[in-house]
Amino acid sequence: RPPTPPGPPAPPTQTGPDGLPPATLAARQCYLRHTTPVPGSRSGFRQLGPVRMLVCFWQDRMSLLQIHSDARRAGHGSRAMALLVAIAELHGLHIVANALPLAHGGGCLDQRTLTAWYLGFGFEHIPGSSMNAIIYSPTRRHRPEPAD
C-alpha cells in the first residue's frame, strides 16, 4: 500500500508560544541543542559537524528543506539524518522533504543515489509528487500525557 502524506493536523488542544504543539516544540528544542548555527547564516541554517541543514517545524512534522555536507561520502550526512530521524521518533513527528540534488558532479549524490539514501532511513515516496517528495513516518505517534 503506498504511503499517504499526513492530512491537515488536528487543531491542537495546547500550543506553545509559537502556536506549535508541545511535542513539536520539544522536537525543535532537541534539534537546536544538538546542532549549532551556521556562522554568517541569516536564513536559519544549522550544522552538525560539516553538515549544514535547514529544518522547519510545523504542527506534526519537520520539513527538511536542505541538507548538505562539505565532507562528502564520509558518513557525516548519515549521522545528521540519523539525528533527525531519532528526533522524529522521540517526538512522534513526520519528516517531509524533496529528494532533489542541490548540485551535480564533484562527489554529489545523483538523483537515484540520493533517493535511495533517503529510503534507507525509512522515508517513502509521496505518490503523485512532481518534486520527488518523500516522507518519514515515525513508528509511533506521540501521545500527550494525560493531565492530572
Side-chain angles (χ1 to χ4, degrees), residues 20 24 28 31 43-44 53-59 61-66 93-96:
L20 296 174
T24 306
R28 185 171 65 184
Y31 171 72
S43 57
M53 51 193 151
L54 183 58
V55 178
C56 294
F57 291 81
W58 306 101
Q59 292 296 322
R61 66 195 74 181
M62 300 160 53
S63 183
L64 176 57
L65 301 175
Q66 196 173 120
L93 301 180
H94 296 280
I95 305 172
V96 294

Side-chain angles (χ1 to χ4, degrees), residues 31-32 35-48 51-55 64-68 102:
Y31 171 72
L32 294 174
T35 60
T36 57
V38 171
S41 172
R42 291 185 282 199
S43 57
F45 276 89
R46 309 242 349 141
Q47 65 187 35
L48 181 64
V51 176
R52 293 185 307 274
M53 51 193 151
L54 183 58
V55 178
L64 176 57
L65 301 175
Q66 196 173 120
I67 184 168
H68 175 80
L102 294 174

Side-chain angles (χ1 to χ4, degrees), residues 13 41 53 77 82 85 95 98 101 107 110 112-113 115 120 123 145:
T13 54
S41 172
M53 51 193 151
V85 166
I95 305 172
N98 291 319
D110 61 30
R112 184 187 333 233
T113 306
T115 300
F123 282 79
E145 297 294 322

